[in-house]
Amino acid sequence: MSTPTETAPLVDLQRLFVTIRRRKRLWLATALLGLIAGAAVAVVLPAPPTAVTKVIVVHQDDSPTDSGTLMRTDVAVLSTTNIAEGALKKLGSTESAEDFMKNYAGLGLTNNVMQITVKAKSDAEAVAQAKALADTFIADHVQRSQAAAAAQSKAILDQRKNAQDELTKVDQQISDETGKGRNANASTLEGLYGRRAALASQISDFDSRAQQAGIGSPQVAAGTQIVDAPRALPKAFLKTTATNAGIGFALGLAVGLAFAAVGAVSRDRPVLRREISTHLGASVLAQLPAKPRGPARLWRRSRAVSERQRVATTLVRAIKKDKPQVSLLELGAPKVAAALALDIAEELAADGKASVLDDLPGEDVRKLVTETKSEVAVVGAGDPAAEPDERRVGVGTVSPGTAWTDLEHLGKETVLVVKAGHANTLWLHTVARQLADQQIPIVGVVLVDPDPRDKSDGTLWDGLHTALRGRAKSAPAVHRVSVVEHEDRIDELAARIAERVAVVDPPTRRITPVRPVAPPPAKPPAPLPEPGKVSVPDHLDAPTKKFAPVKPPKRPTPFKRDHAEPTHKGELNAGLEPEKSAEVS
């Protein structure tokens, strides 16, 4: 049974989420680091003394429909060197205007209320600077308003003067026209009188407007004032520290999650059961949680030991009836493999002699035996071979730098102990290919530290050649001669296979035994015919004629000289000789 092939997605969201969840130590550490850094900034770099004041600003052209443009203009005016220099002059300070402008800022609260915030070395200095800034801004605002009013008054007075000059000219024209007596033009006089009346009205209007403009904008001067006196803000150390710590925590968490996501996509380290089984070409037989860390060791140690012993029992059931030596090869979990091998040896020792072949670089099995005071014998790679009735469990590694040719001495079959997320896809393929080249079948995979929420299937359904990489090639080479030589044991092997299939074993073990078929006996070759009894047709040109050429007979011709020539020589046409002799006679 095989599942239909599906196109792999560009980004596997399930693997991405699992990897981010597995790397929670990274992003939790970055979040904690950001939290500590934010709190440290609040402690090491405390907020300077700050004073604040509020000013109500009345605009001459203010209207209810204003969207805040006038207030934004006032804030921009506050942040000018003219205002800064005026405030410094009031304070009698020699500080430069550019440096002073960096220590204060304006904020428009409404269309007519502006808040001024000033930072200084002390609270008193901050309050004084805020007061100076507010007074300077108010004076500048009123001065600009009065200057605009004076300019408007001057313009009105100029227009009044022009109207007065024109009125003088009109009066002169009326006087000249009236002096003509009876010769005066009535229509002209009527027009001049109308023009004089209009000019007189304009001059009167200009006089009133000039008087109002001369007064200025009293509502602007009276309304623009400080509504909230400058005061120093209280130092909220806890609030500032909490705010900075929260900001640092959020930034650290975001950076940690980003690093975890990028690493999950770029590093390509499988963590799901289905991915590991696919890349290694073997099914996942069991899984073990990671070694508990921190205080969790106190109440989870017994649980981890019981789960490891349960997995060891499962593996013993799978390999107990097979005579070939089985090895445990670790990839990222040497201590787990050593403990698992020791548990398997203890299970096998109940039925006979058993030992462990320790080929780990750190000799973890020997150290574990010393710590636990186990009675299981541990041998090295250079010790003598196992006795005929001794079951030996080899423990080795398939990490980078492994001597692949030495793995066959650890066992004819192997169980891989792989830590999830330890190796990338390329190295998993390398391990599977090297084991296949060494003709070491993979019985199954024990997954260490899997994701507890991983619900993917780690069983392969693509047949023997994929489910047990290398077993399909190695089984005939190892057992074919013995089966042919011991044909009387075929029934016994078939019974063992049936018994093994009936027992509930892992899926990869059910399809492993395949009864080899003995080749049929060769038939004896047929006897060759006696010479001279086989005739070859003339029209065939078989390859054997290249080695035994036969001259074909000549056909009779009407010429006389051809009748006397011999027709054929050889054993195949010996029957034609009597007829030739009769014709000659």
Side-chain angles (χ1 to χ4, degrees):
M1 177 179 178
S2 61
T3 57
T5 58
E6 298 180 358
T7 304
L10 183 61
V11 177
D12 192 347
L13 295 181
Q14 182 182 6
R15 181 162 64 91
L16 178 63
F17 293 150
V18 169
T19 305
I20 291 176
R21 187 164 57 248
R22 287 176 58 85
R23 302 191 67 185
K24 60 183 178 182
R25 291 189 182 93
L26 172 63
W27 47 267
L28 286 179
T30 55
L32 181 61
L33 183 62
L35 179 67
I36 296 174
V41 168
V43 175
V44 177
L45 300 175
T50 305
V52 64
T53 184
K54 294 179 182 178
V55 178
I56 184 170
V57 183
V58 178
H59 304 97
Q60 188 174 359
D61 300 330
D62 198 1
S63 64
T65 59
D66 182 35
S67 60
T69 304
L70 297 176
M71 180 53 64
R72 288 195 295 269
T73 302
D74 294 335
V75 172
V77 171
L78 179 67
S79 302
T80 57
T81 56
N82 187 22
I83 302 297
E85 290 176 354
L88 291 174
K89 189 178 294 185
K90 283 188 176 183
L91 294 170
S93 175
T94 58
E95 186 180 2
S96 63
E98 289 76 9
D99 294 338
F100 181 57
M101 290 168 57
K102 297 178 182 178
N103 297 327
Y104 72 86
L107 176 63
L109 301 180
T110 64
N111 290 346
N112 296 102
V113 178
M114 180 174 63
Q115 176 178 296
I116 301 176
T117 305
V118 183
K119 297 179 181 179
K121 297 180 180 179
S122 62
D123 292 340
E125 185 178 355
V127 171
Q129 290 180 0
K131 174 65 175 173
L133 277 172
D135 293 340
T136 303
F137 175 77
I138 291 173
D140 179 77
H141 182 72
V142 172
Q143 182 182 359
R144 286 187 286 107
S145 177
Q146 291 178 352
Q152 184 179 5
S153 176
K154 184 179 181 302
I156 294 174
L157 291 177
D158 291 341
Q159 292 179 359
R160 179 183 178 280
K161 182 180 179 182
N162 294 334
Q164 186 66 39
D165 293 341
E166 187 176 357
L167 180 60
T168 302
K169 293 180 181 180
V170 171
D171 289 340
Q172 184 63 35
Q173 291 178 1
I174 292 174
S175 177
D176 294 343
E177 191 68 27
T178 304
K180 294 180 180 181
R182 296 180 179 180
N183 296 327
N185 190 349
S187 60
T188 302
L189 288 174
E190 185 179 357
L192 291 174
Y193 288 142
R195 178 61 178 166
R196 185 175 63 179
L199 290 173
S201 177
Q202 289 181 2
I203 291 172
S204 177
D205 182 51
F206 286 150
D207 288 338
S208 62
R209 290 172 59 186
Q211 290 177 1
Q212 293 179 0
I215 296 174
S217 300
Q219 70 275 12
V220 175
T224 303
Q225 58 183 347
I226 298 175
V227 294
D228 191 1
R231 70 184 188 281
L233 294 178
K235 295 181 179 179
F237 177 75
L238 294 179
K239 182 179 180 181
T240 304
T241 303
T243 302
N244 293 346
I247 295 175
F249 179 82
L251 292 178
L253 181 62
V255 172
L257 290 175
F259 273 111
V262 172
V265 175
S266 61
R267 297 175 68 184
D268 189 20
R269 295 191 175 186
V271 294
L272 301 178
R273 287 197 294 266
R274 58 178 172 83
E275 293 181 336
I276 294 177
S277 63
T278 301
H279 295 313
L280 287 177
S283 299
V284 177
L285 299 181
Q287 62 184 23
L288 289 173
K291 185 177 180 180
R293 299 182 180 181
R297 298 181 181 179
L298 302 178
W299 62 83
R300 293 184 59 185
R301 182 178 180 85
S302 59
R303 178 182 177 184
V305 172
S306 61
E307 290 184 0
R308 190 182 67 241
Q309 292 177 352
R310 179 180 58 81
V311 173
T313 304
T314 302
L315 295 179
V316 167
R317 292 173 181 174
I319 66 178
K320 190 173 183 180
K321 295 181 180 181
D322 290 342
K323 290 186 178 181
Q325 182 178 344
V326 178
S327 63
L328 295 179
L329 300 179
E330 64 85 19
L331 183 58
K335 295 183 179 180
V336 176
L340 193 60
L342 197 59
D343 293 340
I344 293 175
E346 291 177 354
E347 292 281 345
L348 295 176
D351 297 335
K353 189 176 181 181
S355 61
V356 178
L357 176 59
D358 186 6
D359 195 28
L360 292 174
E363 297 184 350
D364 295 306
V365 181
R366 297 179 185 273
K367 297 178 181 178
L368 187 60
V369 169
T370 304
E371 294 176 359
T372 58
K373 298 180 181 181
S374 178
E375 298 180 357
V376 177
V378 180
V379 298
D383 293 344
E387 299 178 1
D389 57 344
E390 179 183 357
R391 297 299 300 269
R392 180 168 290 181
V393 180
V395 185
T397 180
V398 288
S399 300
T402 301
W404 301 105
T405 55
D406 292 342
L407 296 181
E408 61 181 356
H409 300 290
L410 298 178
K412 301 299 182 181
E413 297 178 350
T414 185
V415 176
L416 293 178
V417 182
V418 182
K419 184 177 181 180
H422 176 74
N424 55 16
T425 302
L426 180 60
W427 187 250
L428 294 179
H429 290 178
T430 302
V431 171
R433 185 176 65 254
Q434 291 291 346
L435 293 178
D437 293 342
Q438 297 298 325
Q439 295 185 352
I440 301 177
I442 302 176
V443 177
V445 178
V446 176
L447 191 60
V448 180
D449 191 17
D451 184 73
R453 300 182 183 180
D454 181 15
K455 304 301 181 182
S456 61
D457 187 11
T459 305
L460 297 183
W461 302 95
D462 293 337
L464 180 63
H465 65 286
T466 304
L468 297 177
R469 182 180 292 274
R471 180 182 288 267
K473 295 182 179 180
S474 61
V478 175
H479 301 289
R480 180 177 297 176
V481 177
S482 61
V483 171
V484 173
E485 294 179 354
H486 304 281
E487 295 182 358
D488 55 342
R489 298 185 59 189
I490 293 179
D491 296 336
E492 180 183 355
L493 293 176
R496 288 182 58 187
I497 292 172
E499 180 182 359
R500 184 178 303 174
V501 173
V503 179
V504 179
D505 283 338
T508 55
R509 303 295 298 174
R510 294 182 180 180
I511 60 176
T512 298
V514 179
R515 179 179 179 181
V517 180
K523 295 181 180 181
L528 298 176
E530 297 180 1
K533 294 184 179 181
V534 178
S535 60
V536 179
D538 297 340
H539 64 282
L540 296 180
D541 188 10
T544 55
K545 290 186 179 182
K546 295 182 180 179
F547 304 98
V550 179
K551 185 176 181 182
K554 293 185 177 180
R555 302 287 183 179
T557 58
F559 298 98
K560 181 178 181 181
R561 58 184 178 85
D562 294 333
H563 291 182
E565 296 181 358
T567 58
H568 187 68
K569 294 182 180 181
E571 297 178 353
L572 298 178
N573 295 327
L576 299 177
E577 293 298 333
E579 296 178 2
K580 292 181 181 179
S581 60
E583 292 179 359
V584 171
S585 60

